[in-house]
Amino acid sequence: QVQLQESGPGLVKPSQTLSLTCTVSGGSITTANLYWTWLRQPPGKGLEWMGAIAYSGSTYYSPSLKSRTSISRDTSKNQFTLQLSSVTPEDTAVYFCARGYRYSGSSRDEYDYWGQGTQVTVSS
């Protein structure tokens, strides 16, 4: 059974960099044709696709967040990491990691495994 678990600080100050890690168990992040994705859901809003890292290590970013987003991986730990720089209160959201077979998508049914989500609040 594949499991994903997000970890990282729940509170980040404005202008700082948000860093979250997704630890995957029960399957390898290098398995062919899989994409490991970060999404978020701000309060009262829908799910937003942020970016993904492919099994090959290629990365894909939302155009609206590309200038502030970086996704990397540590294959030895079977983890992938999101960094979002220059955060503002508008970045307050529940952040999710998920596994899919495409590099983008904001619909829940495009992903077969999800982390439970982690609340990140941007506030001074």
Side-chain angles (χ1 to χ4, degrees):
Q1 178 76 359
V2 175
Q3 293 184 322
L4 291 82
Q5 177 72 54
E6 303 94 347
S7 60
L11 181 64
V12 182
K13 294 186 185 320
S15 81
Q16 292 188 340
T17 295
L18 178 163
S19 184
L20 296 173
T21 295
C22 184
T23 301
V24 180
S25 60
S28 172
I29 63 172
T30 61
T31 298
N33 302 318
L34 293 178
Y35 295 82
W36 304 91
T37 303
W38 286 100
L39 305 101
R40 67 180 182 179
Q41 187 163 21
K45 297 185 179 180
L47 203 59
E48 178 185 16
W49 176 77
M50 300 182 69
I53 187 163
Y55 59 98
S56 61
S58 297
T59 52
Y60 307 86
Y61 300 109
S62 167
S64 64
L65 297 170
K66 185 175 183 178
S67 64
R68 299 195 291 131
T69 307
S70 178
I71 298 175
S72 60
R73 68 180 184 175
D74 185 335
T75 57
S76 67
K77 296 181 180 178
N78 217 35
Q79 296 175 333
F80 61 106
T81 298
L82 169 73
Q83 291 193 309
L84 182 66
S85 63
S86 304
V87 298
T88 72
E90 286 66 41
D91 294 309
T92 294
V94 179
Y95 285 75
F96 299 92
C97 57
R99 188 187 87 165
Y101 293 87
R102 298 172 59 185
Y103 69 83
S104 69
S106 297
S107 175
R108 287 190 177 273
D109 59 10
E110 295 182 87
Y111 304 95
D112 57 356
Y113 291 100
W114 290 77
Q116 84 283 2
T118 186
Q119 173 70 48
V120 177
T121 300
V122 179
S123 175
S124 55

